[in-house]
Amino acid sequence: MSGKGGLPRRDVIAPLRFNRDLPGTRLLFAPGAVLELRSQLDSLGLHRAFVVSTGGRAAALAPPQELLGDSLIEVYSAAREHVPVAVVAKALARFRAVGADVCVAVGGGSAIGLGKAIVKESGTPLVAVPTTYSGSEMTSIWGQTDGNGKQTGRDRMVKPRLVIYDAALTFGLPADISAASGMNAMAHAVESMYAANATRETLEIAEEAVRLLAHSLPSVVARGTDLEARSTVFAGAHLAGRALDEAAMGLHHRICHVLGGTFALSHALTHAVVLPHVVAFNSSSAPQAMTRLARALGSDDVAAGLVALNRSIGVTATLSALGLRERDLDRAADEVTVTPYPNPRPASRDDVRAILLAAL
Ligand code: NAD
């Protein structure tokens, strides 16, 4: 198969199962692997599990009582997007009160984010059972939101000790959330490509991530129970999370953090909408990254390729549909430029405003 620009594309077959020990993190990747949760905790000497989730369907897919038996101490299912500090305070108080020795986050980036906030304070290990493509399970990045917006930082303490990828848990992830979350993973891979601290390894990981995501996201959206497509996108999200962990994020992430933290826009969908606009802005300043991205996406014009991918998976939203108003643009552009993230092309306040307006 060749892409629009005649670029070669290999067939994509991601492994359906693998186990791997990365520095500090044990990985299980297989359909049904969640059934090993308790034996894995036992092998790590952990017997008092505090489970965090956002409740709802994600929690129902992996019922903590059935999985953990008497190793389950408490389930806290009030995790929220962007990790509000008030939610962290309540969860941490319960975690301490019940004397848990491990936090197990079952769910997407919101559950994992709450788990990170708990272990950052408690010093106990974190275990993650991801059910979206946020990639947070592979990073030492934490984030929290308060009245002053979103704060993020890096701390090795918050990186999960054990990560269990069970693609069967994602069968019920709705098509629209799958699409947006997959493009959130895509954004991690894309921004790591032009990071000043990118290495040969992060570039290869990120290119593979883009290839896997671009190839299989349309199938996941079309057929949510396609195990091979779900596994492939999970593998892409896993690699993108590793790239995110190693490389600095740029203008795109800064914009999305402001839109999520200050204006409460939905995290994954904001990433999906903003990404092509930032790539168009950065493309002339990051030619090597664009060459790799074009090869992985199968599109000579990377920004156009991302727009086409968005369309093919039903992402048609704009920032105004997500709740941003034109009168918010000045404040958003100010916030983005006051504390910028490193970016291959310097972005002035007017540049940022123009990007936001184009995405509005
Ligand atoms: P999310 O965790 O809020 O999940 C989105 C929705 O999908 C929720 O309603 C959830 O209950 C539901 N859901 C999750 N898995 C499901 C499943 N398998 N079946 C059915 N429903 C399911 O969204 P998200 O996009 O995964 O995470 C967003 C959060 O993650 C943000 O707070 C963001 O800042 C954070 N994040 C952090 C990092 C990091 O490295 N620290 C990386 C990416 C995202």
Side-chain angles (χ1 to χ4, degrees), residues 25-49:
T25 303
R26 179 184 298 174
L27 280 185
L28 305 190
F29 188 111
V34 74
L35 298 175
E36 292 183 46
L37 177 60
R38 181 169 185 176
S39 60
Q40 288 291 332
L41 290 183
D42 286 347
S43 75
L44 294 170
L46 302 167
H47 307 291
R48 295 180 62 77

Side-chain angles (χ1 to χ4, degrees), residues 7 38 172 174 177 180 198-199 209 215 228 301-302 331 336 338 346 357:
L7 297 164
R38 181 169 185 176
I177 301 181
T199 62
H215 185 276
E228 190 174 323
D301 181 330
V302 176
R331 183 175 167 206
V336 169
V338 163
L357 187 61

Side-chain angles (χ1 to χ4, degrees), residues 54-58 61 80-83 107-111 113 116 131-137 139 141-143 150 169-174 177 181 184 188 244 257 267-268:
T54 42
R57 288 188 74 185
L61 284 164
R80 293 288 167 270
E81 202 177 31
H82 305 307
V83 194
S110 299
K116 286 177 168 181
T131 63
T132 70
Y133 308 125
S134 81
S136 179
E137 68 279 358
T139 80
I141 302 168
W142 57 267
K150 186 165 189 168
L169 297 182
T170 63
F171 282 177
L173 190 64
I177 301 181
S181 187
N184 183 194
H188 300 150
L244 166 68
H257 285 169
H267 178 84

Side-chain angles (χ1 to χ4, degrees), residues 96-160:
R96 288 186 163 137
V98 299
D101 63 6
V102 60
C103 183
V104 178
V106 181
S110 299
I112 297 169
L114 177 58
K116 286 177 168 181
I118 290 172
V119 303
K120 188 156 100 47
E121 299 302 321
S122 66
T124 49
L126 176 64
V127 167
V129 181
T131 63
T132 70
Y133 308 125
S134 81
S136 179
E137 68 279 358
M138 293 317 302
T139 80
S140 52
I141 302 168
W142 57 267
Q144 285 185 36
T145 308
D146 61 16
N148 297 318
K150 186 165 189 168
Q151 282 75 49
T152 61
R154 291 182 187 250
D155 183 339
R156 256 190 291 167
M157 268 302 301
V158 308
K159 204 163 171 179

Side-chain angles (χ1 to χ4, degrees), residues 298-334:
S299 168
D300 289 340
D301 181 330
V302 176
L306 291 169
V307 169
L309 180 59
N310 263 342
R311 271 204 209 103
S312 75
I313 57 176
V315 175
T316 54
T318 58
L319 290 183
S320 53
L322 300 185
L324 197 71
R325 297 154 305 178
E326 192 158 357
R327 66 173 185 271
D328 297 326
L329 297 191
D330 288 324
R331 183 175 167 206
D334 283 342

Side-chain angles (χ1 to χ4, degrees), residues 33 46 79 99 129 138 142 164 182 191 208 229-230 234 261 270 310 342:
L46 302 167
V129 181
M138 293 317 302
W142 57 267
I164 300 182
E191 285 239 292
E208 182 71 355
R230 284 288 190 189
F234 233 174
T270 302
N310 263 342

